[in-house]
């Protein structure tokens, strides 16, 4: 069986010879890799997995905007089942990061709240990094800041809009795993 390999272009796999475009997108990739690594390290340092960390981030973020969070909302936001959500909430309440509270108007409903312990730990682990990131952002020339923000939001929109690609089927064969 002969496997044909397609060589990458000498300069850039995706972007022809658009050096400036490739350089910007490589910088974005480097940022994404660093962000993912930081999230893994932070979650591990807090003795939780990345989904637990994301759940805590969602609850705290919604609290900061005065919006309550239900287990159903959290499951939808994290794209996990209700059973997985129950296990996640059991872990985060056992670790002292979240509390469950009866919904004030729905007898069967539950609201989630972050604890002082969660806020203390998040601040302890992330405050210095966020301060340094703000310093980097402040160094962007004021006239360029709206353009940089628009660029990043547009990239986020592209990623949010991208559908999953079905597995490719090699010629004459079944889908590869």
């Amino acid at each position: 069986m002969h496997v044909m390999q397609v060589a990458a272009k000498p300069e850039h796999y995706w972007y022809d010879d658009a050096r400036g475009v490739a350089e910007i997108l490589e910088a974005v990739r480097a940022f994404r890799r660093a962000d993912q690594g930081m999230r893994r390290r932070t979650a591990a340092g807090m003795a939780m997995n990345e989904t637990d960390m994301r759940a805590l981030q969602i609850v705290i973020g919604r609290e900061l905007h005065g919006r309550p969070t239900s287990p159903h909302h959290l499951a939808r936001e994290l794209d996990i089942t209700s059973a997985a959500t129950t296990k996640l909430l059991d872990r985060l309440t056992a670790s002292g990061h979240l509390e469950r509270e009866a919904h004030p108007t729905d007898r069967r409903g539950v609201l989630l709240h972050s604890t002082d312990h969660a806020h203390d730990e998040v601040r302890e682990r992330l405050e210095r990094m966020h301060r340094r990131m703000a310093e980097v952002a402040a160094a962007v020339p004021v006239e360029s800041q709206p353009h940089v923000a628009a660029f990043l939001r547009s990239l986020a929109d592209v990623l949010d809009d991208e559908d999953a690609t079905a597995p490719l089927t090699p010629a004459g064969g079944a889908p590869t795993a």
Side-chain angles (χ1 to χ4, degrees):
M1 176 162 150
H2 181 270
V3 177
M4 185 174 111
Q5 293 192 356
V6 178
K9 296 175 187 170
E11 280 296 311
H12 307 289
Y13 190 85
W14 299 109
Y15 311 108
D16 297 323
D17 290 326
R19 183 165 174 73
V21 169
E23 189 173 340
I24 289 170
L25 294 176
E26 286 299 325
V28 170
R29 284 190 190 95
F31 171 78
R32 289 177 62 203
R33 283 190 298 272
D35 182 64
Q36 290 168 347
M38 177 276 303
R39 290 177 189 283
R40 278 191 300 277
R41 291 187 307 274
T42 301
M46 293 175 70
M48 59 178 67
N49 65 45
E50 290 179 63
T51 303
D52 293 358
M53 185 72 187
R54 176 76 178 115
L56 187 58
Q57 178 186 23
I58 290 167
V59 172
I60 290 173
R62 288 179 61 83
E63 286 175 341
L64 293 174
H65 290 95
R67 298 189 317 237
T69 305
S70 68
H72 174 74
H73 175 87
L74 199 57
R76 193 173 63 243
E77 189 80 17
L78 295 170
D79 195 24
I80 59 176
T81 66
S82 58
T85 303
T86 299
K87 289 179 183 179
L88 176 145
L89 294 176
D90 288 346
R91 288 190 303 271
L92 290 176
T93 55
S95 67
H97 291 97
L98 288 183
E99 294 176 340
R100 294 174 169 118
E101 172 191 18
H103 193 286
T105 59
D106 179 357
R107 290 182 318 149
R108 296 177 297 158
V110 172
L111 295 178
L112 306 171
H113 300 284
S114 58
T115 63
D116 289 341
H117 167 66
H119 286 276
D120 291 344
E121 191 165 21
V122 166
R123 281 189 192 102
E124 173 72 25
R125 295 179 183 284
L126 300 176
E127 186 173 34
R128 177 177 173 269
M129 179 198 64
H130 280 278
R131 185 179 61 253
R132 291 177 62 208
M133 288 174 66
E135 290 168 359
V136 170
V140 174
V142 172
E143 63 278 4
S144 298
Q145 290 174 1
H147 303 290
V148 171
F151 165 74
L152 292 171
R153 283 191 195 98
S154 294
L155 281 184
D157 289 345
V158 168
L159 297 178
D160 285 342
D161 289 344
E162 192 61 30
D163 291 332
T165 302
L168 300 179
T169 303
T176 58

